[in-house]
């Protein structure tokens, strides 16, 4: 993400100029909450889950990040969830559970 941000930064500055940073405290709280908190929680969930499933199934957990962001937006910042958000979130979580729960354990190999 850092490399991508640094790569696009010159183009963004040329096309749009320097960003305005005079947000209210509520807006900065939302930016930090959505940007850092949801990413942190999703990364922790992915790390926890990836140690308990195969590498193929572990990739499914990364899809939980936008669901965590949306859930935090609703619970912490009072955003109103619409039916697309609810249906999409349930589909991501349902698909993740289907993949993980239907995974066959790898056979044990002698050491």
């Amino acid at each position: 993400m850092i490399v991508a941000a640094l790569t696009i930064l010159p183009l963004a500055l040329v096309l749009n100029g320097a960003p305005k940073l005079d947000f209210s405290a509520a807006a900065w709280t939302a930016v930090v909450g959505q940007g850092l908190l949801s990413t942190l929680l999703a990364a922790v969930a992915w790390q926890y889950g990836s140690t308990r499933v195969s590498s193929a199934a572990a990739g499914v957990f990364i899809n939980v990040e936008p669901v965590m962001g949306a859930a935090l937006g609703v619970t912490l910042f009072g955003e109103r969830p619409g039916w697309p958000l609810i249906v999409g979130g349930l589909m991501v979580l349902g698909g993740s559970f289907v993949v993980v729960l239907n995974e066959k354990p790898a056979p044990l190999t002698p050491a």
Side-chain angles (χ1 to χ4, degrees):
M1 281 193 286
I2 293 170
V3 171
L6 292 175
T7 302
I8 198 69
L9 180 63
L11 181 61
L13 290 173
V14 168
L15 293 177
N16 301 312
K20 294 181 179 15
L21 301 176
D22 57 344
F23 298 132
S24 67
W28 276 113
T29 303
V31 168
V32 170
Q34 289 287 79
L36 295 178
L37 190 58
S38 63
T39 301
L40 175 65
L41 290 176
V44 168
W46 185 82
Q47 291 293 330
Y48 176 80
S50 68
T51 62
R52 286 153 178 76
V53 296
S54 71
S55 59
V60 172
F61 280 96
I62 204 66
N63 294 319
V64 176
E65 184 175 352
V67 176
M68 291 297 296
L72 287 170
V74 170
T75 57
L76 297 179
F77 304 116
E79 293 181 13
R80 301 179 78 194
W83 67 268
L85 177 70
I86 294 168
V87 171
L90 290 174
M91 289 175 67
V92 168
L93 293 175
S96 298
F97 280 113
V98 167
V99 169
V100 172
L101 295 177
N102 286 324
E103 183 179 10
K104 307 241 185 306
L108 296 175
T109 56

